[in-house]
Amino acid sequence: SPALYGVFRISADEVVVCSRQAARNLAFQGTSLTPGEEEWLGDVAGADLLGARMKAPLSARGEVRALPLLNIAMGKGTGIVTSVPSDSPEDYIALMDLKNKAAMREKYGLADEWVMDLE
């Protein structure tokens, strides 16, 4: 079955997409409107997030696109991760697969410009 992520409100104008457990943990770290309580807005399928623009405040890019990484498990952490091809062989291989395999980009509905300029 496809991975489902929760959408949770953390401020009047900001939401996060993550597992329910990750949202619960965040709520106890002062990132929810009501301390200790996550505000669930609904679920979204991981496949529906592919290509979505996401804020990446610690990235030089500021904004990134959601790309598939097939070795991520929802039962461990958030289910959504930052890919670091310079530090992780699995991330590097996944990026190279996307860059070198047009059929793979097409399968996931990814535009070439979302992938090809990534280092």
Side-chain angles (χ1 to χ4, degrees), residues 8-61:
F8 301 89
R9 180 176 313 283
I10 61 169
S11 72
D13 60 352
E14 192 171 19
V15 300
V16 295
V17 177
C18 60
S19 70
R20 181 170 290 278
Q21 182 62 46
R24 185 101 176 113
N25 291 344
L26 287 170
F28 282 99
Q29 296 176 31
T31 61
S32 60
L33 291 174
T34 304
E37 295 180 20
E38 68 275 12
E39 183 182 344
W40 176 74
L41 301 175
D43 289 325
V44 61
D48 293 337
L49 295 172
L50 294 177
R53 293 176 183 197
M54 298 184 176
K55 186 168 84 171
L58 301 178
S59 167
R61 293 178 177 264

Side-chain angles (χ1 to χ4, degrees), residues 3 8 11-12 14 24-25 28 45-46 63 77 81 84 89-90 94-95 99 114 116-117:
F8 301 89
S11 72
E14 192 171 19
R24 185 101 176 113
N25 291 344
F28 282 99
E63 180 181 275
V81 300
V84 186
E90 287 180 326
L95 178 58
K99 290 178 92 164
W114 299 347
M116 300 308 284
D117 71 334

Side-chain angles (χ1 to χ4, degrees), residues 62-119:
E63 180 181 275
V64 295
R65 298 272 185 171
L67 301 174
L69 193 56
L70 304 179
N71 62 335
I72 300 306
M74 284 295 292
K76 185 176 178 183
T78 65
I80 298 175
V81 300
T82 301
S83 176
V84 186
S86 63
D87 296 345
S88 167
E90 287 180 326
D91 292 0
Y92 179 78
I93 291 167
L95 178 58
M96 290 299 101
D97 281 348
L98 287 173
K99 290 178 92 164
N100 295 325
K101 299 176 181 176
M104 189 174 193
R105 292 191 304 277
E106 185 176 332
K107 174 183 177 179
Y108 292 109
L110 305 175
D112 289 350
E113 61 268 19
W114 299 347
V115 176
M116 300 308 284
D117 71 334
L118 296 175
E119 302 272 335

